[in-house]
Amino acid sequence: MIGGLFVYNHKGEVLISRVYRDDIGRNAVDAFRVNVIHARQQVRSPVTNIARTSFFHIKRANIWLAAVTKQNVNAAMVFEFLLKIIDVMQSYFGKISEENIKNNFVLIYELLDEILDFGYPQNSDTGVLKTFITQQGIKSQTKEEQAQITSQVTGQIGWRREGIKYRRNELFLDVLEYVNLLMSPQGQVLSAHVAGKVVMKSYLSGMPECKFGINDKIVMEAKGKGLSGGSDDPARSGKPVVVIDDCQFHQCVKLSKFETEHSISFIPPDGEFELMRYRTTKDISLPFRVIPLVREVGRTKMEVKVVLKSNFKPSLLGQKIEVKIPTPLNTSGVQLICLKGKAKYKASENAIVWKIKRMAGMKETQLSAEIELLETDTKKKWTRPPISMNFEVPFAPSGFKVRYLKVFEPKLNYSDHDVIKWVRYIGRSGLYETRC
Amino acid sequence: MTDSKYFTTTKKGEIFELKSELNNDKKEKKREAVKKVIASMTVGKDVSALFPDVVNCMQTDNLELKKLVYLYLMNYAKSQPDMAIMAVNTFVKDCEDPNPLIRALAVRTMGCIRVDKITEYLCEPLRKCLKDEDPYVRKTAAVCVAKLYDINAQLVEDQGFLDQLKDLLSDSNPMVVANAVAALSEINEASTSGSPLVEMNSQTINKLLTALNECTEWGQIFILDSLANYSPKDDREAQSICERITPRLAHANAAVVLSAVKVLMKLMEMLPADSDFVTTLTKKLAPPLVTLLSSEPEVQYVALRNINLIVQKRPDILKHEMKVFFVKYNDPIYVKLEKLDIMIRLASQANIAQVLSELKEYATEVDVDFVRKAVRAIGRCAIKVEQSAERCVSTLLDLIQTKVNYVVQEAIVVIKDIFRKYPNKYESIISTLCENLDTLDEPEARASMIWIIGEYAERIDNADELLESFLEGFHDENTQVQLQLLTAIVKLFLKRPTDTQELVQQVLSLATQDSDNPDLRDRGFIYWRLLSTDPAAAKEVVLAEKPLISEETDLLEPTLLDELICHISSLASVYHKPPNAFVEGRGAGVRKMLPARAGSQETVLETATGVSDQPAVIPAQDSLIGDLLSMDISAPTVPVPAATSVFSPPPVDLLGGGLDSLLGGDVAASGAGGAAPVSQSTTGLLGDIFGFSATPTSYSPPKSNWLPAEKGKGLDVWGTFSRRSGQIQMDFTFTNKAMQAMAGFAIQLNKNSFGLTPNSALQVMTPLLPSMSHECSLPLATTGAIQRMEPLNNLQVAIKNNIDVFYFACQVPMNVFFTEDGQMDKRVFLATWKDIPAQNEVQYTLANIQCSADAVVQKMQQNNVFTIAKRNVEGQDMLYQSLKLTNGIWVLNELKIQPGNPNITLSLKSRALDVAPGVFQSYDAILHV
């Protein structure tokens, strides 16, 4: 299991060091600094073995977080745990930075003591942790309160406490999709997938049981069969269905029930959480299309033309559109003409950044650039990194639809109808790249 | 208020100042001071001098302060054991606190303090906490048992904590169950006896599966990982476990998914491969594995390393998912390289076009390692998918045209492999390759180019000039290039003898006279002699047809792969190495194996028991029952056939043995045809060189690990015994797993039952560099001092090197002591058989022998057990055999073989019955080969 955890700043100075196992000595702290942080070469692996001791690290901003062990631990678990620690720290004090870590080192030690015991990860749910790791010293807890905390930390429904009350029962569903695309210069889709998630914010009283329905193909077809002949058969009535390749759920969702009945039922945590994550690869509507034209005119000049087409309903608006066109390292000057938005050459990023605030569906616009190059004697060819883009659109590119979310709370007297529900769809760019 | 100021105090006299602050009456001041102490501790300053003052702050009702003091205690208690005892009272008191959080905190911290005196006081509170009414305390106590086991294993066993821990597996709270499982798994793996202390049965497994649905993500991982160590009793149980685990594949935590995959991969081995269940399960595995690729890059890396294993074990799972392994521009380099590896493995006729265009794209990227690997991958595709070979070759040619130095070199290396796979197909490109001759500066690329020139010498007009140009700087070349150049010029000479005689003379003299490299010299001499005695034979050897090269490369060895599949998701699967390669001592645990398919359960048992015959470190052995020699004297009445030289040293064949290991592989590979023209007198020697000895081979058990690396400070010794041409040999494989070179090897054998003693010094090639292996044999004589061992064939060995002296014990298989003159005269046999009293007869059943009587005769004969007579009584074959041990003891055997019955009854008669178990073992081993 995990033998120790260290946090370093970018210089390799230790900010936090917590050793859980006897086989890890103080020299491990230095070994990592010397061999990884100060290594001459760029790190080639997130796992490093130094003298029979294994180091796992992740880096956020300027902060290195390293777990160390001498045993054959579950590597996936260690990384998931390190990511979780980052999560927990962020929810306690915001951005991970040297300053924040130094300011909260006592809190961090307290957290590390709680969520990792002898190298075994324990309950690391932020909501629960915040009920008893408060940095307020000891509160005069009643015996009931104490029992409630412990039963929550260890409990079957460790993510929700009892006795929550709201005057207004309300819930928000955000369907957030990231479209990933790799397209060849000729416009052939090399790979495309949507990584989606459903984020739920719930303000519900008591211990509500929720049931969540989506237009998943398997469910819809099963339903279609059951209702064969029925007028509202969704599969036949041409309503779109989504083919989900794979999905994952928050730990509150009863997985065995999903496996057998394909129904998503759960008791939600209070407040915001990620209900499910899914991935689709079929029938993705790509909101934008980038058509690049690059011409090298001699050794000192290049002409680039980029056409951007929006490909969705004209009534909808795409936002925060940004196209990043890489330029060679020896660029000396760029002349730009664009029909819409603003474009700028950013030497620090070696790219032309073209920003468009809003763009309606089924429109087309373009940018042309003349790039002047310095003459260099380096033989090394410029490798033309792909053109990447960012955007946000108000629909789900995978075709994912929420069909219903029903709430049952048998003990309290409010029904499904009394709950106010909001659903919102957002499609964003993931890695959205076109080779040129 | 910001706490970062605590990190910046660098004043002198700081400790003194802190001391006074710690003793301040104001609580707030005290707290500040403790914070400062912890901050100093973090940055590595020694603040142990403040121990008593900090401990004084322990008794407080401020939980935050208490936690800080505990943190300090955990760090420094070991260095101040006497002071630490001051804290015991508070701990014991806290364990009784009404607040469960404080009870748990106390027991958690106490377990982390590795001071004997504190440990003594820990037992009582721990016992109470394991039965605490609050689940939070119980789950903390469960882990504490593992802590205690790490400090004092005996104490845990004596105090009955294991049973209490086992009871927690049935706890009503899922998190308690999960922690108990984690603790038990760790204790089982660490157990010194090698066998698990607490066995899982199907009932506990059922409880775990129930808890699985309800506990935290981490708890699910603990449970799944321990399920992976369980072997279900039949395939029905295996299937039901699979069914209950499958839903975990949809979990958001990648580690839960991978651990579930591990259990499924393992249990699938037990199920019939063609069943519907396995087919659907295989289908279900693909999507979650693909999803792992959208997690954070570090998790992706672990996933990819594991997918690499899974694809090797079950290629079907991901065969349609090639696209997801396409490299993204922003992937970290470690993800890119792993993806590329998997792309090559998944390449097939169906997707080759896509793969190739991707690879071509990658070959223009920036990172040198990545580009090289991409170029190599194109070559691998050509070899793997024959239909694509042509396109791959033209892609490679395009890349060569880019003139990027390392791309060209890499391309030439793979083109050599393509020529091997498809001889005489693409020689039209040779001229293009030759254009780049001057730019090649890496040995592998140079050697590949030279190989190509030599192989196609007859079609390259100026082959002689090209090779000659390499010859100029012969001595500056890498060995690999020198060897290749030597062979290539000999090839050229054999193909165009008229105008290249001078060149070949030159290279032969360079290789044999001016070189210090023995490999090169030997190869030079062999070629020289072949060419001078029989050019026709030389042609047969040098231009022999080459064996096919395999389609897949870098495949893991199947047994290692199976072992790694059992370690999916763990570090072993990331390193692609078994745990004992990077884990020290007992933590490495027992070697894991995949379960056998249903219907062959016995093998599971066998492998389970196989663990126990690992050699133990030498115990202080005083079990000297009697001297074997003196016992021997009491039984000299066996009529010994004339002129047996019991103690004369057997002929020593040092040269043969030496050459054997030196040349073995290399020469044999170039074809056995070369043996013919060599003069008669050396056939014996050559016979050895080529690996077939004149006498039929006798049985030698496979090498076992005598000295594991963790006990040998990095020296890993595998070995076995054999008898070759009347000589007992001890065969070693030394592997250096330490970081430094090893040298100065020597060996000593303790007195033993048969007087084994080294006949020469131990010849280990030194220095033995890190991660190098060396094989060698040590001839043994039986003229050493004799002392009876228990068991009789036990041998205690000491091996010395520059690091230390290591001791281990091993068992000598009895058959190496069977001498060549063990054939008894028929009448003498009969007389002796009658002469030996009935109480000196032992019976033994050789189970499951799959060979006929004749095969038995032959097999035993090869091991110096001679069949004196064969009779057929009532359909049974009776064999009478004799053998003689090196110390003159005769053994007479009667074998009863019934046709159709795999069991053979063996009756043994000897004056010295002590040898019987050893003889039985040998029979068993020889006949089961």
Side-chain angles (χ1 to χ4, degrees), chain A residues 21-22 26 44 54 60 72-75 80 103 109-110 114 117 120 122 124 150 246 248-249 279 383, chain B residues 2 42 44 67 78 108 134 136 147 179 186 218 225 250 254 287 291 296 334 364 369 569 571-572 575:
Chain A
R21 297 247 169 179
D22 199 42
R26 181 84 202 175
R44 305 295 271 192
S54 300
R60 287 295 175 272
N72 181 29
V73 298
N74 187 324
E80 284 282 354
N103 276 335
Y109 276 123
E110 200 176 339
E114 186 58 46
D117 189 8
Y120 291 103
Q122 304 293 308
S124 51
T150 56
D246 188 34
Q248 298 170 317
F249 298 101
R279 189 167 48 80
T383 58
Chain B
T2 61
T42 299
K67 281 181 179 171
K78 223 171 141 188
R108 185 163 71 209
D134 195 292
Y136 183 78
K147 292 180 189 169
N179 275 4
E186 174 160 348
W218 315 115
D225 282 352
T291 301
E296 297 286 327
Y334 51 82
T364 61
D369 283 350
S569 186
L571 260 183
Y575 293 144

Side-chain angles (χ1 to χ4, degrees), chain B residues 773-807:
Chain B
S773 286
H774 178 67
E775 297 204 15
C776 65
S777 294
L778 176 74
L780 300 175
T782 49
T783 50
I786 290 172
Q787 171 175 323
R788 192 196 152 100
M789 303 295 290
E790 194 60 46
L792 208 58
N793 52 353
N794 201 15
L795 178 66
Q796 301 178 342
V797 185
I799 285 193
K800 194 188 92 163
N801 65 8
N802 57 337
I803 296 173
D804 206 341
V805 184
F806 308 103
Y807 302 92

Side-chain angles (χ1 to χ4, degrees), chain A residues 245 279, chain B residues 286-287 290 317-325 346:
Chain A
D245 288 28
R279 189 167 48 80
Chain B
V290 172
I317 294 182
L318 288 165
K319 65 179 172 198
H320 300 303
E321 304 289 348
M322 170 60 95
K323 272 190 178 181
V324 300
F325 296 102
L346 291 179

